[in-house]
Amino acid sequence: MAVKIFIDAGHGGPNPGAVGNGLIEEDINLSVASQLADDLRAMGYDVREYRTTPDENVISPVAADLRKRAAEANAWGADYFISIHTNSSTNPAANGFETYVYRLGSTSARLAQSIQNAVIAALGMKDNGVRQANFSVLRNTTMPAVLVELGYLSNPTEALNLNSPAWQAKIAAAIAEGINNFVSSGS
Ligand SMILES: [Zn+2]
């Protein structure tokens, strides 16, 4: 049986996420998540996506929506959960790629490190490393789970990249490579 990967495009529906430099987080997340799903399917993975359109599946309030995302992955029996987000800061100089897990030193953290390695190698972004966070989708999923922050839309240079279809395809491919490197290493 193929390894099952649940892809969560962050935000959507009534919750756009971060906005800045003319960009809306929910749109970037969906575009990269959709390409990641395609890339993983091409590698032979069984992929399910929480949303494939701006509003699909999304409910209010946000806390219930986040629980629903984790519950769907749990009910499906996903082997891995990947949530795609885009970062923002009040400091326009803030930049770089980072991943979040519920616990450092876990299987999730090793998967996150593999994603981190592949993205930094492919895109040359600042390496903000694997970080710990008590995010709902990480806390409530029962399989290894990683939340990816693609870059800072509040940073003018990264905003240009985040809005570029070619760059989106490149980072999606790098995330897929990082996941595949981890899974195929037998971890
Ligand atoms: Zn977000």
Side-chain angles (χ1 to χ4, degrees), residues 42-67:
M43 290 170 159
Y45 292 100
D46 186 2
V47 179
R48 183 172 292 192
E49 296 159 86
Y50 183 72
R51 65 181 179 101
T52 59
T53 68
D55 300 331
E56 182 187 10
N57 255 332
V58 182
I59 60 169
S60 287
V62 169
D65 181 58
L66 293 172
R67 284 194 299 273

Side-chain angles (χ1 to χ4, degrees), residues 11 17-18 25 29 85-86 149:
H11 308 284
E25 184 190 349
N29 297 346
H85 285 255
T86 306
E149 292 279 5

Side-chain angles (χ1 to χ4, degrees), residues 10-11 15-18 25-26 29 83-87 147-149:
H11 308 284
N15 175 13
E25 184 190 349
E26 63 177 338
N29 297 346
S83 186
I84 302 295
H85 285 255
T86 306
N87 227 330
L147 186 143
V148 169
E149 292 279 5

